[in-house]
Amino acid sequence: MTIISDPLQYNEDDLFVDLHSVVGHSLFLKCEGFNFAGSIKLKAAVGMIEAAEREGLLNQWSILVESSSGNLGVALAMAAASKGYRFLCVTDSRCNDATRRLIQVLGSGVHVVTEPDPVGGLLGARLDHIQRLCASSSRYVWLDQYANPNNWMAHHRTTAPAIGRQFPDLDVLFVGAGTTGTLMGCARWFRRWRPQVHIVAIDAAGSVSFGGTPGRRLIPGLGMSVPPPQLHASLVDDVVVVEEEEAIRACHRLAGRGYVFGGSTGTVVSGAAAWLDRYGGADLTAVAIAPDLGERYLDTVYSPSWLGEHFGDGVLEPPVEVVADVRSA
């Protein structure tokens, strides 16, 4: 029996799914959606808030503010409710309606940016709005998940060691690249304690994180329209770039086996499968990280009408050839 008195206390850190039957390779998926925030972002949210508390940046009048495409917004809203803080999530039109409503149910505010910045895109517009808020009042405290070291430190302290404990003979780790907090926290830990582990970053097509060409991205979570400040590409061995159509197909393949995961997880699984198709061996031990579950994506990734509107009716048909791009970092 597990009894808790604070939703921040619970996190299932040792749950893995064997995806061999789905991808045709030995691949274990670390499931990060089984906490009260529903995603891996709870770790970063708690780490950043508690660091701000230790530094004396927060008081009873403070308003936490953060830019988020969804999951961190929910995690911060939950943490703020638990700790008694106010929170405003600055997001954009790609954020799922279910996610926005959940943030509001938790007592936080949501501001939706609809017009992209000419250079920085929707993310740039979100950051501009936050900077204006902070300039208008000292009550606003921006945690800045993009540059805050407590983002990657949370995963260095929790996510990576949990994987290391369960897989002492790990060969390759696949991590999605958004703010790169999870990626950098895990990469730093394995570089120190298991340097033989091959670190593969999974990025979304249209992201500029690893020098790609900016483009349309409809699935929130992975990818950046501006270079991520926390990223140190030298810690990454390979990069796999995945088209959104491939991520969607991976989500539906997983759902067909009873696993309903989010769009980021579909991207990671698709990229991991492409890398293993090229480089994998029968005796390779591989782990991928699933950031969240799929309930918040029922109106997008799992909606026939949404898929038809944005990708065409044939998006779920298998492609003629693999479109994921595997390249060195």
Side-chain angles (χ1 to χ4, degrees):
M1 177 185 295
T2 300
I3 299 175
I4 65 172
S5 58
D6 182 344
L8 306 183
Q9 294 177 344
Y10 180 78
N11 188 68
E12 176 57 73
D13 224 0
D14 296 318
L15 179 60
F16 295 81
V17 173
D18 184 348
L19 291 185
H20 189 282
S21 63
V22 180
V23 301
H25 298 279
S26 178
L27 178 65
F28 298 94
L29 190 65
K30 187 180 192 308
C31 302
E32 290 282 353
F34 293 98
N35 57 55
F36 286 97
S39 81
I40 195 171
K41 291 293 188 177
L42 180 59
K43 297 174 179 179
V46 173
M48 291 189 297
I49 289 178
E50 292 184 347
E53 289 174 331
R54 290 192 300 269
E55 295 166 13
L57 300 177
L58 301 177
N59 57 48
Q60 60 182 321
W61 297 284
S62 297
I63 304 173
L64 295 169
V65 62
E66 185 55 88
S67 161
S68 171
S69 59
N71 282 336
L72 183 68
V74 173
L76 285 171
M78 194 198 80
S82 176
K83 289 176 170 288
Y85 296 118
R86 294 179 62 187
F87 170 58
L88 173 65
C89 179
V90 179
T91 188
D92 60 53
S93 52
R94 294 171 299 183
C95 181
N96 301 320
D97 287 340
T99 299
R100 297 181 208 173
R101 293 196 300 270
L102 183 53
I103 293 171
Q104 292 168 329
V105 165
L106 288 163
S108 294
V110 178
H111 176 84
V112 180
V113 169
T114 57
E115 294 297 325
D117 178 84
V119 177
L122 287 169
L123 174 56
R126 279 156 43 184
L127 299 181
D128 286 344
H129 183 76
I130 289 176
Q131 289 166 353
R132 289 194 295 270
L133 287 175
C134 292
S136 71
S137 172
S138 60
R139 294 181 63 191
Y140 288 102
V141 178
W142 181 23
L143 296 172
D144 191 4
Q145 63 162 326
Y146 307 100
N148 192 325
N150 295 289
N151 183 347
W152 69 259
M153 289 170 65
H155 301 287
H156 189 276
R157 185 172 59 251
T158 60
T159 310
I163 295 171
R165 284 194 303 269
Q166 295 298 317
F167 295 91
D169 298 322
L170 182 65
D171 294 301
V172 57
L173 176 64
F174 300 97
V175 188
T179 66
T180 68
T182 306
L183 175 62
M184 290 295 97
C186 290
R188 282 187 168 95
W189 191 91
F190 280 100
R191 283 291 173 265
R192 179 175 182 181
W193 300 108
R194 307 277 179 79
Q196 74 278 9
V197 173
H198 201 80
I199 304 296
V200 180
I202 310 297
D203 200 12
S207 167
V208 304
S209 295
F210 293 91
T213 303
R216 183 188 79 160
R217 288 182 293 113
L218 298 178
I219 301 175
L222 297 187
M224 292 277 283
S225 56
V226 298
Q230 297 185 71
L231 175 62
H232 291 275
S234 61
L235 297 174
V236 176
D237 296 300
D238 284 316
V239 179
V240 181
V241 179
V242 178
E243 299 286 347
E244 288 193 318
E245 291 87 346
E246 283 302 300
I248 290 165
R249 293 184 186 106
C251 284
H252 284 261
R253 283 197 300 272
L254 289 164
R257 298 301 183 99
Y259 302 112
V260 181
F261 286 105
S264 295
T265 298
T267 305
V268 171
V269 169
S270 178
W275 191 95
L276 290 168
D277 283 342
R278 182 169 298 188
Y279 302 113
D283 58 347
L284 202 66
T285 301
V287 170
I289 298 177
D292 62 2
L293 302 180
E295 290 91 340
R296 297 173 193 170
Y297 301 83
L298 296 179
D299 294 330
T300 54
V301 170
Y302 295 102
S303 166
S305 60
W306 187 86
L307 293 176
E309 177 184 355
H310 294 289
F311 296 96
D313 295 334
V315 65
L316 296 181
E317 298 174 1
V320 175
E321 60 184 52
V322 175
V323 298
D325 171 37
V326 182
R327 56 192 172 88
S328 177

